[in-house]
Amino acid sequence: MMQLTAFKNTIDFLKHAKIISILSLILVVASLVSLGTKGINWGLDFTGGTVVELEFSKPANLNDLRAQLTDEKVSGAIVQNFGSTRDILVRLQVRAGIASDAQVLEVMKAAQHLDSQVIQKRVEFVGPQVGKELAEQGGLAVLVALICILIYVSFRFEWRLAAGAVASLAHDVILTLGVFSLLQLEFDLTVLAGLLTVVGYSLNDTIVVYDRIRENFLKMRKAIPYEIINASITQTMSRTIITTGTTLITVVALFLKGGTMIHGFATALLMGILFGTYSSIYVASYLAMKLGVSRDHMIPVEIEKEGADQPPMMP
């Protein structure tokens, strides 16, 4: 009776899995091509540069300040609010032959033109070598995270499921990076943090689906893998909708109202959540099925105890 009820209410998610998987593969290839040709628009955290924090006596107009920064020494400066409307952060790129102090002086001249009482609160300089090391360490952090997840999932699940989970995570990371490359969005440390968050979020959704698949393989003994995977996805769909929906509410709010400082982080999360939700179905689960996962792979191996084959002793 349990099996009939499960089959009756099951949604055939895998019906279009082949088409969607081909589309995902095309998107992954397009993302890799974009990364190879256009590259990533690295932020000052990775390229190096100067950061100047200013405090105005009244709310400052960012556009007016940008209009004042016309000198060649500070061209291309990034101007954004830092907390309140009176606190401004100016990011300057490293320029050959131009000292950081000269750039800061030009910024102060432009700011004093708008507000004579402006205060220079902080100046930080990040060298190109430090930025290069941050980029290398950031890429290494993502790679190590994927390797650790592969080890964890391999211990917890059968290798076919582990391969599907890692492929799903790599899919989400590559597509998110592809969006940043294609649109040339600035990639800074907040985006890197968002990317690592996406890895954890996507894995959580995949693990929930995999746990249900493993349970149903042991319960629905007469069903084929196609039916079991569909039933498992259907049973966990309400949880996925609720989790994704509530997370998206927060992320969309950050994306729209979080300000420039957190915009990249929110963008990475938004893309990652959308990619991660469908990859749990059409990448992780579908790939596991194509690799031949079956009920026999879910049955734990029984370890024969020493002396179990001996006849019992007579009292």
Side-chain angles (χ1 to χ4, degrees):
M1 181 64 68
M2 179 182 64
Q3 289 184 210
L4 293 176
T5 303
F7 291 146
K8 182 179 179 181
N9 299 325
T10 294
I11 301 173
D12 192 359
F13 286 100
L14 298 181
K15 181 179 180 180
H16 305 291
K18 185 176 182 180
I19 297 176
I20 296 178
S21 296
I22 293 174
L23 177 61
S24 293
L25 183 60
I26 293 173
L27 291 176
V28 168
V29 172
S31 297
L32 292 175
V33 170
S34 178
L35 289 169
T37 55
K38 301 181 68 174
I40 293 179
N41 180 22
W42 299 105
L44 294 181
D45 295 326
F46 299 108
T47 61
T50 305
V51 177
V52 184
E53 183 181 348
L54 304 173
E55 181 180 356
F56 287 76
S57 61
K58 56 185 178 181
N61 189 306
L62 299 183
N63 291 327
D64 291 344
L65 182 56
R66 293 189 185 102
Q68 294 294 325
L69 297 172
T70 56
D71 191 273
E72 183 181 356
K73 299 177 183 177
V74 293
S75 61
I78 300 173
V79 182
Q80 53 194 203
N81 284 112
F82 187 71
S84 67
T85 56
R86 296 192 301 113
D87 295 319
I88 303 297
L89 205 66
V90 182
R91 297 173 179 264
L92 305 165
Q93 298 179 352
V94 175
R95 297 197 176 276
I98 300 177
S100 175
D101 293 341
Q103 290 181 311
V104 174
L105 183 60
E106 289 297 329
V107 170
M108 287 303 298
K109 288 180 179 179
Q112 290 172 350
H113 189 272
L114 300 177
D115 185 356
S116 59
Q117 299 180 7
V118 65
I119 300 174
Q120 177 184 307
K121 296 183 64 177
R122 173 170 61 100
V123 176
E124 291 182 358
F125 175 74
V126 179
Q129 183 61 33
V130 175
K132 182 180 179 181
E133 291 177 0
L134 284 175
E136 293 175 353
Q137 292 173 0
L140 184 61
V142 176
L143 182 61
V144 169
L146 291 177
I147 293 174
C148 290
I149 287 170
L150 172 61
I151 297 173
Y152 162 73
V153 179
S154 298
F155 276 107
R156 180 166 179 177
F157 297 101
E158 203 268 338
W159 73 266
R160 294 167 180 82
L161 294 177
V166 173
S168 173
L169 294 177
H171 165 275
D172 300 340
V173 171
I174 291 173
L175 288 191
T176 303
L177 288 175
V179 171
F180 274 83
S181 174
L182 182 64
L183 301 179
Q184 285 296 289
L185 301 176
E186 184 180 359
F187 193 98
D188 55 18
L189 286 177
T190 62
V191 177
L192 178 61
L195 202 62
L196 292 172
T197 306
V198 166
V199 172
Y201 183 91
S202 179
L203 176 67
N204 178 63
D205 198 37
T206 302
I207 292 297
V208 170
V209 175
Y210 276 4
D211 273 332
R212 188 56 58 91
I213 289 175
R214 182 168 56 184
E215 292 174 7
N216 286 336
F217 262 115
L218 300 178
K219 292 179 181 178
M220 303 163 62
R221 299 185 178 183
K222 296 182 179 180
I224 62 175
Y226 184 95
E227 296 171 331
I228 291 174
I229 292 175
N230 266 328
S232 302
I233 296 172
T234 302
Q235 292 166 6
T236 57
M237 185 51 58
S238 59
R239 177 261 176 203
T240 300
I241 293 174
I242 293 173
T243 304
T244 303
T246 52
T247 306
L248 279 177
I249 291 174
T250 305
V251 174
V252 170
L254 290 175
F255 180 80
L256 297 177
K257 299 295 183 180
T260 309
M261 288 293 293
I262 206 170
H263 188 74
F265 176 80
T267 303
L269 273 184
L270 187 61
M271 295 296 102
I273 289 172
L274 295 177
F275 295 141
T277 299
Y278 91 82
S279 70
S280 299
I281 301 172
Y282 295 110
V283 177
S285 301
Y286 183 64
L287 180 59
M289 186 185 73
K290 282 299 182 181
L291 290 175
V293 67
S294 65
R295 180 177 177 273
D296 294 337
H297 302 138
M298 303 298 162
I299 299 176
V301 179
E302 294 185 4
I303 302 176
E304 185 177 353
K305 296 182 179 179
E306 183 178 358
D309 56 342
Q310 301 296 325
M313 297 180 60
M314 297 300 292

